[in-house]
Amino acid sequence: TLFIVAIPFFMDRFGINIVMLFSMIAWVLRFALFGIAQNSIPGFIFIIGSCIIYGMAFDFFNISGSLFVDRETDRGIRSSAQGLFVIMTNGFGATIGTLGAQAVVNHFVDFNSNVPQIAQWQSAWYVFAIYALTVAVVFAIVFKYKHHPEDLK
């Protein structure tokens, strides 16, 4: 909830580029914390931290993305643009992401193995963290939107 409330401040102050990068770095941290977490009390703290970071990761991406689409599209195509954003993130994006995640888990986690599953899952979480970091770097290089806070007033 706190991250949703903070979105207008971050959007006005930093712009969509930085807010989306915060989101992507939060995904990197979330997955890395899952990878670090062990089956003990300190590991539990990493999982709680990951849950808190999830607020930034999810809200900053989805809500900020929707606000950006709303601000930047012409009134005549705004609903279509919002629909496309939702389909790309929660439709096609979620489906492709789920299938990709399934392939990673199937590669790294053998549920019939004698190797402790926690070690196998660690590798899978680190793959997800590296993927999220790669997406963040590509986004930082490719997405070139100029933020002008004075235009928002």
Side-chain angles (χ1 to χ4, degrees):
T1 303
L2 292 176
F3 287 114
I4 290 175
V5 172
I7 287 172
F9 168 77
F10 280 90
M11 287 282 287
D12 291 344
R13 180 124 173 147
F14 301 109
I16 190 67
N17 296 50
I18 302 301
V19 172
M20 292 299 255
L21 277 174
F22 282 161
S23 166
M24 293 174 199
I25 297 303
W27 281 109
V28 173
L29 292 173
R30 176 174 166 76
F31 295 140
L33 286 174
F34 276 141
I36 294 168
Q38 296 296 318
N39 198 11
S40 65
I41 292 172
F44 181 72
I45 292 169
F46 290 117
I47 292 172
I48 296 297
S50 177
C51 291
I52 292 168
I53 289 172
Y54 178 69
M56 177 182 271
F58 182 86
D59 295 339
F60 274 29
F61 185 85
N62 286 300
I63 306 302
S64 296
S66 291
L67 289 172
F68 179 75
V69 169
D70 188 63
R71 285 183 184 172
E72 295 299 317
T73 55
D74 181 72
R75 182 179 216 99
I77 64 165
R78 190 167 290 148
S79 62
S80 296
Q82 288 287 4
L84 180 62
F85 178 77
V86 170
I87 286 172
M88 295 307 291
T89 56
N90 298 326
F92 298 128
T95 301
I96 293 167
T98 299
L99 295 172
Q102 176 187 8
V104 169
V105 169
N106 287 344
H107 178 77
F108 285 101
V109 181
D110 180 4
F111 294 101
N112 297 318
S113 172
N114 292 331
V115 175
Q117 283 187 9
I118 191 77
Q120 296 177 47
W121 275 101
Q122 258 183 337
S123 298
W125 288 121
Y126 290 144
V127 168
F128 297 144
I130 291 167
Y131 174 76
L133 181 61
T134 304
V135 169
V137 169
V138 169
F139 177 83
I141 293 168
V142 172
F143 189 71
K144 301 295 182 195
Y145 178 80
K146 301 296 182 208
H147 176 62
H148 301 288
E150 62 277 359
D151 293 344
L152 299 175
K153 296 180 181 180

